[in-house]
Amino acid sequence: MIRVILADDQTLVRAGFRSILHTEPDMAVVAEATTGTEAVRLTAEHRPDVVLMDIRMPEWDGLEATRRIVSDQRLDAVRIVVLTTFEQDDYLYGAIRAGASGFLVKDMEPTELIHCVRVVARGDALLAPSVTRRLIADVAARKAVPPPAAELASLTARETEIMDLVAAGMSNEEIASCLAISHATAKTHVSRILSKLGLRDRAQLVVWAYESGRIQPGWLR
């Protein structure tokens, strides 16, 4: 069962998300928050798999609430999807750097929301395609900073290869097929890479790879 917390100050928005998720037999909404402060408290109390976090809320906003949850080592397994009405770049970059595993706009289709929750719950990252394109275009336009030699040196040749494939947009299944390895092996490699680089998930790895110049424009499909 995928346990979800809804954090949004609008009652109708929460009700809509709740009705969508409750139709799925493998999902359950375990709590609802109306402020960022409440979202942090309820997350610590319930330790859900996924938090759907509105970007604009009273008291702490969604970004501050996300930062506080991510910084709590007891909540390391919690994944956060930031939701907003606007695809504003400041929100996007802030969400990823705060540690969010996904960023979606609220006008998504119900099937997209359900897919997002499942993807993030299993440990992958998810960004709306339009958001990903803008993120990559913006980051790629900046002057690349060489990746820290010590961090790259800590990776094996195979891990470096897989890191580049992850940053180029491949899923674990695609990596396994490309390299003729099992899905479990690919997943293990990705986990080790994230740990060695001190990154939370694949979304942060994509940004790290572009900002460091490891991946060039046009690689991500």
Side-chain angles (χ1 to χ4, degrees):
M1 183 67 69
I2 300 174
R3 304 169 70 251
V4 181
I5 283 182
L6 304 178
D8 196 299
D9 61 337
Q10 297 185 42
T11 302
L12 288 178
V13 171
R14 296 197 314 276
F17 287 158
R18 187 192 323 116
S19 65
I20 292 171
L21 298 179
H22 274 175
T23 63
E24 301 303 307
D26 61 337
M27 297 182 187
V29 175
V30 297
E32 298 182 25
T34 59
T35 69
T37 306
E38 193 176 21
V40 174
R41 179 179 61 79
L42 290 174
T43 299
E45 178 181 342
H46 293 276
R47 302 195 182 186
D49 300 294
V50 178
V51 178
L52 296 180
M53 182 81 73
D54 184 28
I55 202 81
R56 292 181 174 179
M57 287 187 294
E59 300 172 10
W60 295 331
D61 64 13
L63 296 185
E64 179 61 24
T66 296
R67 279 190 288 267
R68 288 175 179 265
I69 292 171
V70 170
S71 66
D72 189 336
Q73 294 184 352
R74 298 170 300 173
L75 306 177
D76 188 57
V78 176
R79 293 293 176 261
I80 301 173
V81 177
V82 170
L83 301 168
T84 181
T85 309
F86 310 101
E87 291 186 359
Q88 293 183 6
D89 292 338
D90 288 346
Y91 290 158
L92 168 62
Y93 305 137
I96 292 177
R97 286 177 174 80
S101 296
F103 184 99
L104 293 174
V105 290
K106 291 183 180 179
D107 62 356
M108 75 192 99
E109 295 294 328
T111 53
E112 187 177 1
L113 174 64
I114 293 168
H115 172 68
C116 173
V117 171
R118 288 202 175 103
V119 167
V120 172
R122 69 173 181 245
D124 290 332
L126 186 145
L127 300 174
S130 59
V131 171
T132 303
R133 287 194 295 270
R134 291 197 346 271
L135 170 66
I136 298 309
D138 184 86
V139 174
R142 305 174 189 174
K143 183 178 180 180
V145 178
E151 292 183 0
L152 279 180
S154 70
L155 302 181
T156 66
R158 176 62 98 183
E159 288 171 346
T160 301
E161 182 179 24
I162 290 177
M163 177 191 69
D164 290 344
L165 295 178
V166 170
M170 284 193 179
S171 66
N172 288 343
E173 291 83 357
E174 291 169 332
I175 292 171
S177 176
C178 176
L179 300 180
I181 59 178
S182 70
H183 175 270
T185 299
K187 184 176 181 179
T188 298
H189 278 304
V190 171
S191 296
R192 289 175 178 169
I193 292 165
L194 294 175
S195 177
K196 288 182 178 181
L197 296 181
L199 303 173
R200 182 174 174 82
D201 57 32
R202 303 165 86 99
Q204 291 191 336
L205 177 55
V206 171
V207 174
W208 185 90
Y210 269 86
E211 289 183 334
S212 66
R214 285 292 308 178
I215 298 297
Q216 298 301 316
W219 282 36
L220 189 64
R221 294 292 183 262

